[in-house]
Amino acid sequence: MKFRKLKYKISFYFIGLILCFGAASGILFLSKEHKTEVENYKNTCSSILKNVEPNIARLLYLDDRVELNRMVNRIKQSNSDFIYCFVLDADKKVVVHTFANGFPSGLLSVNTEPVDNTELLEFENSTVYDFSYPIVDGKLGTVRIGVSRERLMGLIIYNLIGSIVLLLLFVMAGVMISFYISHLVTSPLNDLVESAERISRGDFDHKVQSRSHDEIGKLSDAFNTMSSSLKNMTETLEVKIMQLNEKNEEYLALNEEYEAQNRELFQAKEYAEKCDRLKTAFLANLSHEIRTPMNGILGFAELLKSGDITKDSKDEYIEVIEESGQRMLRLISELIDISWIESGQLKFIHETVNVSRLLDKLFNFFKPQARKKGIELILEKTENEPELFTDSLKLEQIISNLLSNAIKFTSHGKIRFGYNLFNNKILFTVKDTGKGIPADMLS
């Protein structure tokens, strides 16, 4: 059954409502019954004590304890629920009592109010209501009676059993009523669910049989109308889908053509941007690369003009000028190779390079420039002569740029450059006492 769980839920909630109502009613009834019985006990005790108050007051005043003892025993015997009775004087001292084994002193610490009062006590393994009644407004003393709670609890239990039986009858009636109501609700819903499943499978001709003219009947009519509308919409959509599929095939063909054109345009754009970046980087470095050998040629040519130089110095200066000219020639070759850079096919010429000799050449080249600015140029290297298999021109350009910048931005002090060996690797270093590189430009 489709709505079996719903049916049980309706019954469960209905029964739960009955149980809650019955439990609340029972609690209220028992609470009221308990309060009424306690009030009856209190009224009974008050009525008895009110009648004998004058006699007790007279006997207390005369201090006639024998007659007073007879009176409290008669009060205890007047009601089978009375357990004890005793009289206190104005100083809260026991005058007479009905206890056979002596007065329990614990009763003096409870229910000590000077006016008409009731308190629930535990006494000799049972529960009693202790009623206190003042004699002449408490000026002569107090009478207290202990009333058993057993009959009251028995009456309450009897009423509780009756309430439970009545509640069970209500529950049984509620179960039958709830199942009947749930059947009235779930039966037409089952038809609607079955119809919805058939419509979901495409059976739009199925109709829900309307059994009533209430809200569920109107829902069935609305469901049939919706089924007819869905049938018309489905037929219309099928026609439109066929038309859209035809259009979509045309658009797919055009889209493939556009995508091929976009790919070609994108590749051309990337190639143009790459060439532009390479050209910009090359031109940015070009002025620096040309300036370094030109400074060498002009500087040493000026030194050659002076007449007080030795032949060895003259040969050394000529050699530096020659090397600077060769370097200029290599830079011109790089300008010729700009087409290779733009195409991303820049060639590297790998050869075995003696690192120590390369640094000696750079030291001799930059030493006059450093000495001219009053800077001490120091070359640091190891005794052995390591070799690298690399492009010597590129390596020389890198170290030359670093040394040139160090001389340019150092006004006094020292410039140290060289290399260190670490696990078959070479670390080149250039250190100067200049102002250094700004922190935001280190990367």
Side-chain angles (χ1 to χ4, degrees), residues 92 107-115 117 119 132 142 144:
K92 305 297 182 183
L107 290 176
L108 294 177
S109 60
V110 295
N111 202 8
T112 58
E113 297 294 329
V115 296
N117 194 47
E119 190 166 336
S132 174
T142 306
R144 286 171 56 182

Side-chain angles (χ1 to χ4, degrees), residues 321-339:
I321 291 172
E322 183 181 5
E323 290 177 355
S324 297
Q326 291 176 355
R327 186 171 180 183
M328 283 287 294
L329 183 62
R330 287 195 295 269
L331 288 174
I332 293 171
S333 298
E334 288 186 355
L335 285 172
I336 296 173
D337 291 340
I338 184 65
S339 60

Side-chain angles (χ1 to χ4, degrees), residues 343-357:
S343 62
Q345 298 178 355
L346 179 64
K347 294 182 179 180
F348 290 88
I349 303 174
H350 290 83
E351 58 184 343
T352 301
V353 180
N354 187 299
V355 177
S356 181
R357 293 177 187 174

Side-chain angles (χ1 to χ4, degrees), residues 388-406:
L388 284 177
F389 186 70
T390 184
D391 189 317
S392 62
L393 178 60
K394 301 295 184 295
L395 179 59
E396 183 179 347
Q397 286 175 340
I398 293 170
I399 301 175
S400 295
N401 289 339
L402 294 174
L403 287 172
S404 177
N405 286 333

Side-chain angles (χ1 to χ4, degrees), residues 375-380 403 406 413-419 429-433:
I375 302 169
E376 182 181 0
L377 184 64
I378 302 172
L379 173 61
E380 298 176 337
L403 287 172
K414 300 178 181 180
I415 297 176
R416 298 176 181 271
F417 78 102
Y419 63 88
T429 59
V430 177
K431 304 177 183 179
D432 60 67
T433 57

Side-chain angles (χ1 to χ4, degrees), residues 81-144:
D81 291 332
F82 292 175
I83 296 178
Y84 59 80
C85 179
F86 62 92
V87 178
L88 302 174
D89 60 14
D91 298 327
K92 305 297 182 183
K93 294 181 180 179
V94 179
V95 180
V96 292
H97 60 81
T98 60
F99 297 102
N101 298 324
F103 182 80
S105 59
L107 290 176
L108 294 177
S109 60
V110 295
N111 202 8
T112 58
E113 297 294 329
V115 296
D116 188 5
N117 194 47
T118 307
E119 190 166 336
L120 187 64
L121 307 176
E122 294 292 333
F123 178 74
E124 294 182 353
N125 298 324
S126 63
T127 305
V128 300
Y129 286 104
D130 188 277
F131 291 94
S132 174
Y133 191 86
I135 304 301
V136 190
D137 296 329
K139 295 178 181 179
L140 292 179
T142 306
V143 179
R144 286 171 56 182

